Amino acid sequence: MKSRAALRWFWFLVVIALAGVHLALVAAAVSQAQTSAGPPRIEWIDVHVHVIGGRAPRQDYDGAVNAALAVMDEAGITKMLIMPPPQVHTQPSPYDYESFVKPLKRQAKRFAFLGGGGSLNVILHAVGDGSQVTDRLRRRFEDQAMEILRQGARGFGEIAAHHLSHLSGHPYESIAADHPLLLLLADIAARNDAVIDFHFDLVAEDTKAPEWLAVPPNPAVLRANLASFERLLGHSRKARVVWAHAGSDMLGYWTTALSRRFLERHTSLYMSLRVGPGRAPQNHPLTKANEIKRDWLSLLQDFPDRFVIGGDQFIASPLIQGGGPGMIFAQRAANIRERTSTFLAALPVDLARKIGRENAVRLYKLEN
Ligand SMILES: [Zn+2]
């Protein structure tokens, strides 16, 4: 009797065990089906993002930062560097990092920031000609820069020496890239191990403004500015300059050959990739079939530590209305996220990891 009862127990346990194995196999199959449904998701860090929260008293940067968090979770973006766009004194009430720093600090694992786009950049372009830079102005500029770093910024951005106007209300900005205040900023960045996010629409030779640029505010002739940029980069070997918007060049001069030459010559130069539509398709990294172009792949492979992703996404609070340039750019952000994922998925895995995340962590001293 005893042994028959034991046998019954034995078979009972066997059935339970088999059912368990079966369930585990089904669960594994389901999860595999889920992961194989889309392309493998590659996580990335966006080092060049603008948030739009409006101006006081109708200001909502909490909402803009929450909107950023929502798209990050959806798109696999682990962190963002937020910065004010490069503004000038002729625009209504420029804003800087103070507007958005509080909500960012509440999410310190997901965000870091740069400052100066609404203060240092305004001073730079208000002065214009470098001959007007007095000692007093240099001190004011330096005090402002140091205050930005004291508040926790990883550096200065978005700073522009040459910025084309693409829409009404979008400023044309132009000063010499080796302006004395920019050289000073490079010294400050070098001394404090900070980064400069630099917008610079490159002009290799004097060029008549193409017909898609409105004249004014853009000038009828765009003046060559390459040499002044090299002087800025050569000024301090320690100042880390991140040249923004690689891969979506507007004028056609920022070729892979030029990038190679610059990266070889200037060892503290980095480039942030904006894999969006630009005006000079020959300089995009992706083919129409979404493969990495050969010259781009060899550039990225030869300088794997010098590229990061800077999507130039504009993300607005849902409470903000209106049709200014920022809101128009905000409509393009989803497309930029999608193209960036496509770009990273097309890269060899180790390169995607570096460009997508690891370089940004190192460059901006982020927590992993
Ligand atoms: Zn820019």
Side-chain angles (χ1 to χ4, degrees):
M1 280 300 279
K2 231 184 191 173
S3 71
R4 204 180 294 163
L7 201 62
R8 225 179 280 147
W9 266 111
F10 170 76
W11 283 116
F12 177 69
L13 290 173
V14 166
V15 168
I16 295 279
L18 284 175
V21 169
H22 179 72
L23 276 177
L25 286 174
V26 168
V30 167
S31 83
Q32 191 156 32
Q34 275 167 353
T35 50
S36 62
R41 197 165 85 151
I42 294 172
E43 293 188 329
W44 51 287
I45 294 175
D46 194 329
V47 306
H48 190 118
V49 178
H50 305 293
V51 284
I52 307 172
R55 261 80 171 179
R58 295 171 56 86
Q59 194 165 287
D60 179 35
Y61 280 95
D62 279 301
V65 169
N66 286 336
L69 274 174
V71 301
M72 289 164 83
D73 291 340
E74 194 189 298
I77 302 170
T78 57
K79 292 173 199 289
M80 279 182 172
L81 265 112
I82 309 290
M83 70 191 78
Q87 299 150 78
V88 286
H89 58 291
T90 48
Q91 285 174 283
S93 46
Y95 73 99
D96 210 323
Y97 68 97
E98 298 94 336
S99 300
F100 51 69
V101 72
K102 267 196 196 143
L104 294 187
K105 284 187 174 173
R106 282 199 284 274
Q107 297 285 345
K109 278 198 156 40
R110 307 296 300 275
F111 295 106
F113 69 97
L114 302 179
S119 55
L120 301 176
N121 198 70
V122 175
I123 299 174
L124 269 169
H125 290 271
V127 179
D129 181 358
S131 67
Q132 296 173 34
V133 176
T134 59
D135 283 350
R136 207 162 137 222
L137 182 63
R138 285 175 69 91
R139 268 198 304 279
R140 193 178 126 219
F141 189 82
E142 181 157 3
D143 287 348
Q144 177 65 41
M146 291 310 295
E147 179 59 18
I148 290 168
L149 296 181
R150 255 193 304 279
Q151 294 305 320
R154 307 299 158 116
F156 309 110
E158 181 176 350
I159 304 295
H162 189 223
H163 179 278
L164 297 173
S165 167
H166 295 288
L167 300 164
S168 141
H170 190 226
Y172 176 76
E173 305 178 21
S174 179
I175 53 163
D178 59 348
H179 189 283
L181 291 180
L182 277 176
L183 300 182
L184 173 62
L185 193 62
D187 289 334
I188 298 168
R191 270 202 307 272
N192 295 281
D193 207 6
V195 168
I196 302 176
D197 185 292
F198 197 57
H199 181 123
F200 191 65
D201 288 317
L202 183 76
V203 185
E205 56 198 45
D206 289 358
T207 308
K208 204 168 148 278
E211 77 286 354
W212 47 266
L213 278 178
V215 179
N218 300 288
V221 175
L222 303 170
R223 296 291 173 197
N225 56 20
L226 193 148
S228 68
F229 188 29
E230 290 229 69
R231 283 194 291 276
L232 170 66
L233 296 172
H235 174 71
S236 169
R237 296 257 148 221
K238 277 187 171 168
R240 288 172 299 151
V241 173
V242 181
W243 188 5
H245 316 322
S248 58
D249 172 41
M250 296 291 168
L251 296 170
Y253 292 116
W254 190 352
T255 60
T256 49
L258 183 128
S259 291
R260 181 177 289 280
R261 215 171 63 232
F262 269 51
L263 290 168
E264 271 165 7
R265 211 178 286 171
H266 306 288
T267 49
S268 58
L269 173 67
Y270 297 79
M271 296 181 181
S272 70
L273 289 149
R274 178 173 67 185
V275 195
R279 289 268 181 185
Q282 72 274 21
N283 290 338
H284 290 199
L286 288 173
T287 64
K288 281 213 174 94
N290 286 335
E291 285 162 351
I292 311 281
K293 288 179 188 163
R294 238 200 268 154
D295 57 331
W296 267 98
L297 187 59
S298 60
L299 176 71
L300 299 171
Q301 279 173 328
D302 290 346
F303 300 92
D305 302 326
R306 310 280 287 281
F307 288 88
V308 286
I309 300 290
D312 203 15
Q313 302 184 58
F314 281 71
I315 298 173
S317 145
L319 300 183
I320 303 298
Q321 310 283 325
M327 294 304 281
I328 293 169
F329 294 142
Q331 292 165 12
R332 303 174 185 168
N335 181 257
I336 287 172
R337 290 192 290 276
E338 201 186 304
R339 283 179 64 91
T340 302
S341 294
T342 303
F343 166 75
L344 289 170
L347 286 175
V349 177
D350 55 335
L351 202 52
R353 225 178 35 231
K354 283 187 168 188
I355 295 171
R357 291 192 55 184
E358 292 173 1
N359 294 346
V361 167
R362 207 181 52 252
L363 189 54
Y364 296 89
K365 301 184 169 48
L366 305 174
E367 278 175 42
N368 219 332

